[in-house]
Structures are given as C-alpha cells and as structure tokens.
Amino acid sequence: MATLHEPTIATDELRPTHLEVDLARLAENYRVIARHVAPARVMPILKANAYGHGLVEVARKLEAIGAPSIGVAYLEEGLHLRRQGIRMPVLVMGGLVGWQVPRFLEHDLTITASSVDKLRAIDEHAAVAGRPAKVHLKVDTGMERIGVHWYSAEPLLEASLRCRHVRVEGIFTHFANADGGDLAHARLQLERFQEVLAFYERRSLPTPLRHAANSGAILQLPESHFDLVRPGILFYGAGPSPETPATLPVRQALRWVTRVVYFKVVKPGNPVSYGSSWAPAELTRVVTLPAGYGDGYMRAMSGKAEVIVHGKRYPVVGRICMDQMMVSIGWDSAHNGDEAVLLGGEGDHAITIEELASWAGTIPHEVLTSINTRVPRVYRG
Ligand SMILES: *Cc1c(COP(=O)(O)O)cnc(C)c1O
C-alpha cells in the first residue's frame, strides 16, 4: 500500500550526484572523426559501458544517426545490446572460449577469430546452427595480446577461405604504441599488417574490411586508417595521452556534478580527513561533497584535484574518502545544496578528462571507465 509520504521520484533522482551525458555531442564527435578519416568509416568502441557513458544509450544514438557498426570487448556486452533492441552490426573484439560461439550466432554478433583452431570451432558451430558466422580475423603485429602472429598469419587466412560457414567480413590488428611521441613500433606494426594483407592481392581475392587505428593512430598515423577506424577515447572527447592531445575538434560529453551536503569552518592546524594529511594554515571554510572513490572519483587524486563551485575552482583537501570528500573554499561562501562540478563545465574553468587523468596519474580511459554505476546517468540530446 502506498503511503501518503512515499517519495514520487525515482531513487536515482534522490541522489545529489549525477553524471550528465550529452548524446548530441557524441554524435558530433562521431561526425568530426568521420570527416577526418573519410573515405574510411568509423566504428566507435563502446566497451566498458561505453567508457562510462552508458552502453545502450550511446549505441541507440549511433544507430539513430546511421553509424555502420560498433565495437565492444566482451560477448556479454554484445548480448546486452541485442536484448535492449540494438540491431546494428556489433563486433566483439576480445578473446573468446569455444562454448561462447553459439551465443554469438544466435544473436548475430560479429566474432573475432584469433587463431586457426578458433576459426575451425566457429565454422563447426555455424554448420550446426545452419547460419553463417560473421567473422573478423585478428592479426597480432606486435601487441602480443590476442591474434595470430604476423609471421604465421597465412595459415589462418588460408583456412578462412576453406571455411564454408564463415563469412570473413574484416581483418584487423591493434597498435601497442600509437599514442606516444615515438611511432617507430607503430610503423613496424603497420608494415607487418600490410605484408599480411598482401595475401589477398597475390591471390587476386577481394580484401575484407581492413582496420587498425585506435584514437592514437587516427590522430598520428593517417596511413593506418584503411577501410575502418576504431576510436574509443577520441570519440568521447579526449586525447589518448599527454603526448597526443585531441587535435580534432571533438568535445567531452560528460558533466559530473554533486551538491554540497555540509558546511563548516575549520580552525588552523586541525587536520581534515583520513591520515590527517592536510590542515588549513588559517581559519578556512570547508564544504563536504557526497562523492568519493567508491563512485570512481579516484583516491589517487587526493591533494591534487579541484572542483568548481559557483564558477570558481577550489582544491579538494585531505584524502578523498569512499563516499565523501572535502573542499576548501577559503573565505568564500557556499551553502548546502549548492552545485559542485567534478568534471566538465563550460568555458575556461571546465575540468577536463585529461586533467583528472593527470591528477590520478593515469590515462583518460581509466578515468572514464572508473565512474561506476553507483553514479546515476542523466541523458540529453
Ligand atoms: C579499446 C580498443 C580500441 C579503442 O582504443 P582508444 O585508445 O580508446 O581509441 C580500439 N581497438 C581495440 C581492439 C581496443 O581494444
């Protein structure tokens, strides 16, 4: 029985902390990258909950604007998309075990075949299922993660010609160092990939869709764009590393906000938070925000991070806790319920994904994938 005082808003809306996701901005980033790499096409990478942005919502937006395909890492991510009604081609790029294959076929997910054995298993399952498997062949040209080594790729390509229940739609590789200042290893990988691809020309066979470029290579190695590029972090509006900033006009699509839940004045010398690592030198106003490393606001940023309150930046002081953090506002004022911006914002003051990464001593990818599901997402655009 509903009582008179039962809240009429969803529990997500009760939380003063939100991650606002601007889907229109992601669509614009997609177009910016598409223009840059044309005539190559773009397959945005949506693994790890679309780098924290929300797997299904981002996929739906991309489907609506006519993106030809998307990539994820795991079978479960592909299955989740299908269950939520996403119909577009989805390439699952990660490694797989044999018993997963029937699920790929059942849900029309594109499989990464990374060895002759796996390709044969896929072919056998497809024969039983009575429907062809869509496959991209994976060649390892110097990452040593998954894929057949470039120097023994020919047997895989040959085997793929004999598999009667497999449709080879693509062939790809992945760079280990496309986002650094030194591109020597990336160029070597590119050469190795081209040697493997020559197989098709030698035999006058049509070449499947060739792809290699992640964000770093999209920015730095135009020769690697081939038929398709695979942007992750760049699609979400950040550069892959400090040496390789986002030189295309992409913009971040997130605004992470919370609200002041406590205000106090701290006397000089009285330490704030666990470990008592910081204390004010003079009488200081300190507010408490209800977000912490348990939401993905990384503890490693303690002593470095800043937030925006009333359009001005203030330092996070003392250790970041699991669910709360303290911010020194000097002698300015802030009240309970006032908004504090943890990421995003407009103009000169905006806090960027790259800044959070540098505070945490990590890469932008990890900043985004760390913002976990305890933070409610709010969508616009
Ligand atoms: C994650 C991933 C990408 C995207 O990488 P970014 O650096 O985020 O652009 C592309 N291809 C593969 C195989 C990946 O695993």
Side-chain angles (χ1 to χ4, degrees):
M1 273 284 286
T3 69
L4 200 60
H5 300 291
E6 191 171 274
T8 54
I9 51 177
T11 50
D12 273 4
E13 293 168 42
L14 292 173
R15 189 149 187 222
T17 306
H18 295 112
L19 189 66
E20 297 169 17
V21 185
D22 188 339
L23 294 171
R25 204 167 264 196
L26 288 181
E28 190 46 39
N29 289 348
Y30 169 81
R31 291 186 193 104
V32 165
I33 298 168
R35 277 195 293 274
H36 178 71
V37 302
R41 307 194 79 182
V42 182
M43 180 171 73
I45 302 306
L46 272 57
K47 60 192 179 185
N49 199 27
Y51 289 49
H53 293 64
L55 174 60
V56 174
E57 289 80 0
V58 176
R60 227 171 246 146
K61 184 71 184 181
L62 287 166
E63 195 166 52
I65 65 170
S69 64
I70 54 178
V72 295
Y74 299 148
L75 170 61
E76 311 86 272
E77 294 173 324
L79 291 178
H80 186 60
L81 287 169
R82 290 290 184 252
R83 286 194 194 107
Q84 299 299 315
I86 302 296
R87 301 262 62 95
M88 72 197 300
V90 177
L91 172 64
V92 177
M93 301 182 299
L96 58 89
V97 283
W99 48 262
Q100 292 179 312
V101 173
R103 308 299 298 279
F104 280 89
L105 301 173
E106 233 171 89
H107 296 276
D108 193 27
L109 296 165
T110 310
I111 314 172
T112 294
S114 51
S115 71
V116 173
D117 283 352
K118 285 181 197 278
L119 185 70
R120 293 226 172 93
I122 294 166
D123 193 44
E124 281 163 24
H125 280 293
V128 171
R131 67 176 87 169
K134 293 180 191 163
V135 159
H136 285 217
L137 305 175
K138 181 71 189 282
V139 182
D140 190 330
T141 55
M143 172 80 178
E144 299 293 351
R145 192 166 66 178
I146 63 165
V148 62
H149 285 125
W150 76 97
Y151 45 81
S152 42
E154 196 150 322
L156 177 67
L157 273 57
E158 260 167 12
S160 77
L161 302 175
R162 289 192 301 270
C163 288
R164 301 216 334 279
H165 308 279
V166 162
R167 228 166 57 210
V168 179
E169 295 188 338
I171 179 165
F172 71 114
T173 192
H174 189 58
F175 291 114
N177 300 293
D179 56 2
D182 180 358
L183 291 173
H185 185 66
R187 291 191 199 287
L188 185 61
Q189 285 193 259
L190 190 57
E191 260 172 53
R192 291 167 175 170
F193 188 45
Q194 269 153 342
E195 278 164 31
V196 172
L197 293 172
F199 170 92
Y200 293 100
E201 218 167 285
R202 276 200 307 276
R203 303 189 177 209
S204 310
L205 292 166
T207 311
L209 284 177
R210 306 158 299 165
H211 51 109
N214 56 3
S215 296
I218 290 169
L219 292 165
Q220 301 205 97
L221 271 175
E223 319 87 282
S224 74
H225 293 174
F226 293 108
D227 302 314
L228 200 60
V229 299
R230 305 191 304 266
I233 198 69
L234 191 64
F235 169 62
Y236 301 102
S241 75
E243 302 88 62
T244 311
T247 45
L248 297 181
V250 292
R251 293 190 299 165
Q252 58 185 42
L254 295 181
R255 195 165 168 275
W256 191 1
V257 295
T258 183
R259 286 180 188 278
V260 172
V261 289
Y262 201 78
F263 172 93
K264 67 174 155 268
V265 175
V266 180
K267 289 183 177 169
N270 283 6
V272 170
S273 195
Y274 293 120
S276 303
S277 59
W278 181 89
E282 51 202 61
L283 212 58
T284 299
R285 291 173 174 172
V286 171
V287 295
T288 301
L289 305 177
Y293 67 79
D295 299 294
Y297 195 84
M298 290 188 219
R299 188 171 176 277
M301 302 194 295
S302 300
K304 299 195 181 112
E306 295 176 343
V307 304
I308 300 170
V309 183
H310 301 315
K312 189 171 161 188
R313 283 190 177 227
Y314 297 101
V316 174
V317 293
R319 297 261 165 81
I320 293 162
C321 308
M322 190 184 292
D323 320 295
Q324 307 187 69
M325 66 173 102
M326 278 63 84
V327 171
S328 166
I329 57 167
W331 208 245
D332 292 341
S333 51
H335 297 91
N336 277 278
D338 285 358
E339 189 177 80
V341 180
L342 309 182
L343 169 64
E346 297 301 325
D348 297 343
H349 289 303
I351 294 170
T352 64
I353 299 163
E354 289 93 334
E355 257 183 301
L356 261 65
S358 81
W359 293 335
T362 186
I363 55 174
H365 309 61
E366 193 182 8
V367 168
L368 294 183
T369 56
S370 294
I371 305 173
N372 62 42
T373 50
R374 191 165 72 156
V375 181
R377 269 67 171 170
V378 177
Y379 291 92
R380 25 191 182 110

